[in-house]
Amino acid sequence: MELVSQSQSFGGMQSVYRHRSEACAVEMTFGVYLPPSARARPVPLLWYLSGLTCTHENAMIKAGLQKYAAEHDLALVFPDTSPRGEGVADDQAYDLGQGAGFYLNATQKPWVRHYRMYDYIVSEMPALLQKELPLNGVFGITGHSMGGHGALTIAFRNPEKFRSLSAFAPIVNPTRSDWGRKQFSAYLGDDEAYWAKHDACLLLADLGWDGDILIDQGAADQFLEHLRPEAMARLMAERRQPGVLRMQAGYDHSYYFVASFAEDHVRWHAERLHAT
Amino acid sequence: MELVSQSQSFGGMQSVYRHRSEACAVEMTFGVYLPPSARARPVPLLWYLSGLTCTHENAMIKAGLQKYAAEHDLALVFPDTSPRGEGVADDQAYDLGQGAGFYLNATQKPWVRHYRMYDYIVSEMPALLQKELPLNGVFGITGHSMGGHGALTIAFRNPEKFRSLSAFAPIVNPTRSDWGRKQFSAYLGDDEAYWAKHDACLLLADLGWDGDILIDQGAADQFLEHLRPEAMARLMAERRQPGVLRMQAGYDHSYYFVASFAEDHVRWHAERLHAT
């Protein structure tokens, strides 16, 4: 992987790398933050999956996670939200194509060639990062909006890989949302049987989750009807699922919301990732 | 002033306003952060002046100041760095014209009509903000790079208005820098006698500063030759000027540097602005 830029941040190092992705068959860019303690010993890694329209960069510069990662001895990784560039299929809408990969493997044309974000996040990137960086192999995962959907669905399907889980304003029930039905139809085809493994509520009902879950949701979020937090709230309560779902009064869907609760989420992950 | 956007942040409110500026004879945009405590009582205001190429937005989304302002009961204001828009003179270079106002009143064509950032920051905005927001009239000022130049020069010339002062990687000696000589020549004309009142080192030598000063400078800053921290370091030591100039090992000129020391600067201002 090729180093694109590097800046010291809170005593650690914020880097951007580019590499040729096998899964996506295209060059991909991502950000990595290493805390100061990673110079002395390997650290756990917290994955941050971003939302619609984002690149690797938005959360890296807006969410303010580095301070807390430095304090709690965690590395951070900020993947892109889709394959990009010339020759990669796209759509004029902001919520389909580039910037809107939905963390799945597309099966339908024209998306099938490059849109393999599930394999990229679950298999290719972990192997690459574990090889190249001072990591101890312990992973947690979080994300915002579409990235919250990614964090929940990827953790539920890969509990052996992710020890801790949280989300900011996640899309929790995409098979019943305009942020989901349109995209799953395009990427996966019209047979809804194939959609279930990308819906956090359906997966939790089917597979369960042995750990606990932290979800923050702004009560003044302008996209509540797409996010459907009530579906996850009911399901967690019905299943007696350990976890915390906080409706945060006054907060909208922006990075101001994410930044306001970034410290709580990093601490949540640190307590679980450093546990022996 | 017209509200452009508003998002809750760390329990307070981050707003963006647009208004017709008398000083600049054009519409100007700025950001304001009010801490939670401003709902109950008026608070002091910390001015953050931004650097070359920035709008009101960069520091607002990247510097991470809101968390500390919320904790320390300070309001923040993020002015733009120049007048903007159609009919406002500009230059193809990133360091002259729009995005590069240098916090002075231009006297030369074509800049003289709109480029009056000194009057805008020193007179027009304080009156507007004091009238429209829950402020107690106590001001501190900081800034980054060109904005550090603005903070130092504006404070030195207006000690009755600003009680506390700090800067991140400021341009301290622009009359001897490529970030200064070219711009002062364009905005103020070739008679260098008119430049002195916009040079922090010359002003400090001439006027002094009754308070103390906090300056952070990245030791790995890629623009050290333009910033000339050694001129300010020597002058402060020679004058026995109370203050702290910290060379921070490994940090560059980016917002990762600003964010890493944002907490220290907000605390510095809070201790002075809340003192009775």
Side-chain angles (χ1 to χ4, degrees):
Chain A
M1 57 198 208
E2 172 199 350
L3 184 65
V4 176
S5 70
Q6 205 160 47
S7 287
Q8 191 164 290
S9 166
F10 293 96
M13 194 58 81
Q14 178 64 59
S15 305
V16 174
Y17 294 99
R18 191 183 298 128
H19 73 124
R20 175 80 194 177
S21 163
E22 296 292 321
C24 297
V26 72
E27 289 238 311
M28 297 287 282
T29 304
F30 60 87
V32 166
Y33 178 73
L34 291 178
S37 59
R39 286 192 285 267
R41 73 195 77 84
V43 292
L45 175 65
L46 175 58
W47 294 72
Y48 182 98
L49 304 186
S50 290
L52 287 167
T53 76
C54 290
T55 69
H56 67 284
E57 198 177 30
N58 302 60
M60 209 176 84
I61 63 177
K62 292 181 173 184
L65 293 158
Q66 291 90 348
K67 172 181 166 64
Y68 315 116
E71 291 171 357
H72 291 287
D73 303 321
L74 296 184
L76 303 169
V77 61
F78 303 95
D80 204 343
T81 59
S82 79
R84 285 178 197 278
E86 273 188 69
V88 174
D90 200 5
D91 187 276
Q92 291 193 327
Y94 75 96
D95 59 358
L96 188 66
Q98 295 186 30
F102 268 80
Y103 304 102
L104 51 73
N105 293 332
T107 58
Q108 306 296 305
K109 289 185 179 175
W111 314 104
V112 61
R113 172 137 185 253
H114 296 292
Y115 283 73
R116 300 187 64 82
M117 290 300 291
Y118 182 84
D119 282 356
Y120 180 64
I121 301 292
V122 172
S123 303
E124 182 176 9
M125 279 194 80
L128 177 71
L129 298 180
Q130 194 59 47
K131 178 163 152 267
E132 300 281 349
L133 298 172
L135 303 176
N136 69 3
V138 179
F139 292 167
I141 191 164
T142 188
H144 174 224
S145 194
M146 178 184 74
H149 146 79
L152 294 170
T153 56
I154 285 174
F156 293 155
R157 292 174 63 186
N158 300 276
E160 75 291 353
K161 278 207 163 144
F162 298 95
R163 187 190 286 185
S164 59
L165 175 59
S166 78
F168 299 87
I171 305 171
V172 297
N173 197 191
T175 62
R176 306 207 29 206
S177 164
D178 287 345
W179 279 352
R181 295 190 62 81
K182 164 185 165 179
Q183 294 82 3
F184 290 0
S185 176
Y187 296 140
L188 303 172
D190 288 329
D191 183 347
E192 297 191 22
Y194 293 103
W195 297 6
K197 63 184 179 180
H198 297 289
D199 183 297
C201 283
L202 298 179
L203 284 170
L204 182 61
D206 183 30
L207 302 172
W209 173 253
D210 275 347
D212 47 9
I213 309 168
L214 170 62
I215 296 177
D216 273 312
Q217 173 60 61
D221 192 310
Q222 56 271 53
F223 301 109
L224 278 166
E225 70 176 303
H226 300 331
L227 304 171
R228 296 180 53 76
E230 62 279 10
M232 182 58 79
R234 177 176 172 174
L235 181 65
M236 287 175 66
E238 282 176 352
R239 292 181 54 85
R240 320 304 194 231
Q241 168 65 47
V244 185
L245 197 160
R246 307 190 298 192
M247 292 297 297
Q248 301 282 10
Y251 286 92
D252 64 20
H253 199 64
S254 69
Y255 272 100
Y256 292 114
F257 158 68
V258 176
S260 295
F261 299 101
E263 181 169 19
D264 291 354
H265 284 248
V266 173
R267 192 188 305 114
W268 172 277
H269 288 275
E271 287 169 354
R272 287 151 184 78
L273 297 176
H274 289 302
T276 50
Chain B
M1 58 197 208
E2 173 199 350
L3 184 64
V4 176
S5 71
Q6 206 161 45
S7 288
Q8 191 163 289
S9 166
F10 293 97
M13 194 59 80
Q14 178 64 58
S15 305
V16 174
Y17 294 99
R18 192 183 297 127
H19 73 124
R20 175 79 192 178
S21 164
E22 295 293 321
C24 297
V26 72
E27 289 238 312
M28 298 287 283
T29 303
F30 60 87
V32 166
Y33 178 72
L34 290 178
S37 58
R39 287 192 284 267
R41 73 195 77 84
V43 292
L45 175 65
L46 175 58
W47 294 72
Y48 182 98
L49 304 186
S50 291
L52 288 166
T53 77
C54 289
T55 69
H56 67 283
E57 199 177 29
N58 301 61
M60 207 176 84
I61 61 176
K62 293 180 171 184
L65 293 159
Q66 291 91 347
K67 172 182 167 63
Y68 314 117
E71 291 170 358
H72 291 287
D73 303 321
L74 296 183
L76 302 170
V77 61
F78 304 95
D80 204 343
T81 59
S82 77
R84 287 178 195 277
E86 272 187 66
V88 175
D90 200 5
D91 187 276
Q92 292 194 326
Y94 75 96
D95 59 358
L96 187 67
Q98 296 187 30
F102 269 79
Y103 304 102
L104 51 73
N105 293 332
T107 58
Q108 306 297 304
K109 288 186 179 175
W111 314 105
V112 61
R113 173 137 184 253
H114 297 292
Y115 283 74
R116 300 187 64 82
M117 290 300 291
Y118 181 84
D119 282 354
Y120 180 63
I121 301 292
V122 172
S123 302
E124 183 175 8
M125 279 194 80
L128 177 71
L129 298 180
Q130 193 60 47
K131 177 163 152 266
E132 300 281 350
L133 299 171
L135 303 176
N136 70 3
V138 179
F139 292 167
I141 192 165
T142 187
H144 175 224
S145 193
M146 178 184 75
H149 146 77
L152 294 169
T153 55
I154 284 174
F156 292 156
R157 292 175 63 186
N158 300 277
E160 75 292 352
K161 279 207 162 145
F162 298 96
R163 186 190 287 185
S164 60
L165 175 59
S166 78
F168 299 87
I171 305 171
V172 297
N173 197 192
T175 61
R176 307 207 30 206
S177 164
D178 287 344
W179 279 354
R181 295 190 62 80
K182 164 184 164 180
Q183 293 82 3
F184 290 179
S185 176
Y187 296 139
L188 302 172
D190 288 330
D191 183 348
E192 297 192 21
Y194 293 102
W195 297 7
K197 63 183 178 180
H198 297 290
D199 183 298
C201 283
L202 298 179
L203 284 170
L204 182 61
D206 184 28
L207 301 173
W209 173 252
D210 275 347
D212 47 8
I213 309 168
L214 170 63
I215 296 177
D216 273 312
Q217 173 60 60
D221 193 309
Q222 55 271 52
F223 301 109
L224 278 166
E225 70 177 301
H226 300 331
L227 304 171
R228 296 182 51 77
E230 61 279 8
M232 182 58 79
R234 178 177 170 173
L235 180 65
M236 287 175 66
E238 281 176 354
R239 292 181 55 86
R240 319 306 192 229
Q241 168 64 47
V244 185
L245 196 161
R246 308 191 297 192
M247 293 296 299
Q248 300 283 9
Y251 286 92
D252 64 21
H253 199 64
S254 70
Y255 272 100
Y256 293 113
F257 158 68
V258 176
S260 296
F261 300 102
E263 182 169 18
D264 290 354
H265 284 248
V266 173
R267 193 188 305 115
W268 171 276
H269 287 275
E271 287 168 355
R272 287 150 185 78
L273 297 176
H274 289 303
T276 50

